[in-house]
Amino acid sequence: AQSVTQPDIHITVSEGASLELRCNYSYGATPYLFWYVQSPGQGLQLLLKYFSGDTLVQGIKGFEAEFKRSQSSFNLRKPSVHWSDAAEYFCAVGAKGYSTLTFGKGTMLLVSP
Amino acid sequence: NAGVTQTPKFQVLKTGQSMTLQCAQDMNHEYMSWYRQDPGMGLRLIHYSVGAGITDQGEVPNGYNVSRSTTEDFPLRLLSAAPSQTSVYFCASSPQPGGNQPQHFGDGTRLSIL
């Protein structure tokens, strides 16, 4: 079965600074990888996904993520953070032959002025 | 274009009461699922359905029942509510079952059990 680890529970970034949120997965074959964002009181919204091909994927709101098979990682990045990016971010992994996704425990992003 | 609609948005129950959380989607999606979200625990899968008439258990199914009589609806039933079921519940759907399917989420039901 697949699993996902998000090592950072909270991260604080200054507005305008760059951001990287870490995600490590465990799965034997090529996984399907997702990043979701959850604003307070809302459901989860898909930011981006990786299935195959180019290992650098672009998403909405200026986010990108890079799949690194050698490190079993799928880190989320943004060059310049805005105050509206403050939210909780979830990494998720799916696998061929499985119906469901497995979510990480989330990273809460705080943006300081 | 409503997407995934969950009702109610908030609910307070007493221990031992029963309740049904409603979930409806208007996208003709085959796959639907229920998650609970607790602080520090992320999202944990309760039950899921790969089509009308077909349901299966997820990671934390105890204390919950589901049925899928139509493609659109996937209600979650708490048979005898317990304080440990205090949580935020999310319903999600995708066009097909499968690990490559992005999930569409509702806005959640915030449930408190006293």
Side-chain angles (χ1 to χ4, degrees):
Chain A
Q2 61 271 29
S3 65
V4 180
T5 301
Q6 293 181 248
D8 304 305
I9 298 174
H10 298 100
I11 282 186
T12 300
V13 176
S14 299
E15 190 169 16
S18 63
L19 168 70
E20 183 169 28
L21 301 182
R22 296 184 291 165
C23 172
N24 295 98
Y25 68 90
S26 173
Y27 179 60
T30 299
Y32 306 121
L33 295 161
F34 307 84
W35 274 101
Y36 288 85
V37 60
Q38 183 182 31
S39 297
Q42 301 296 314
L44 278 71
Q45 180 184 19
L46 180 69
L47 283 175
L48 48 79
K49 59 185 185 288
Y50 171 79
F51 293 165
S52 64
D54 192 347
T55 57
L56 185 64
V57 293
Q58 302 297 321
I60 62 171
K61 305 185 179 187
F63 286 92
E64 66 178 26
E66 186 171 12
F67 171 62
K68 293 186 177 180
R69 184 189 300 276
S70 61
Q71 299 177 18
S72 298
S73 68
F74 188 57
N75 294 350
L76 182 71
R77 301 194 295 245
K78 188 170 185 178
S80 177
V81 169
H82 188 262
W83 64 266
S84 60
D85 293 324
E88 190 160 20
Y89 292 80
F90 291 92
C91 183
V93 63
K96 189 175 182 180
Y98 288 83
S99 299
T100 63
L101 300 185
T102 299
F103 285 83
K105 294 185 177 181
T107 297
M108 182 66 72
L109 173 65
L110 306 174
V111 180
S112 60
Chain B
N1 190 4
V4 179
T5 302
Q6 292 185 236
T7 56
K9 294 189 184 304
F10 302 93
Q11 184 71 47
V12 179
L13 293 178
K14 294 181 179 179
T15 298
Q17 287 185 314
S18 62
M19 164 163 200
T20 299
L21 308 186
Q22 302 291 344
C23 175
Q25 52 90 10
D26 61 358
M27 299 173 283
N28 201 32
H29 284 176
E30 289 295 317
Y31 180 84
M32 296 185 74
S33 57
W34 277 102
Y35 294 88
R36 60 178 289 173
Q37 183 179 26
D38 302 291
M41 300 296 290
L43 276 78
R44 292 182 291 170
L45 183 65
I46 304 171
H47 286 284
Y48 64 97
S49 169
V50 300
I54 306 169
T55 64
D56 206 346
Q57 296 181 351
E59 179 185 357
V60 287
N62 292 342
Y64 306 96
N65 272 1
V66 293
S67 60
R68 183 98 178 270
S69 56
T70 67
T71 299
E72 295 78 19
D73 299 300
F74 190 44
L76 178 72
R77 298 181 186 84
L78 281 69
L79 305 175
S80 177
S84 61
Q85 294 178 304
T86 293
S87 187
V88 182
Y89 291 85
F90 288 98
C91 180
S93 73
S94 63
Q96 299 291 330
N100 62 344
Q101 297 288 310
Q103 303 292 303
H104 299 253
F105 283 84
D107 286 339
T109 293
R110 285 143 187 85
L111 182 62
S112 292
I113 315 295
L114 305 178

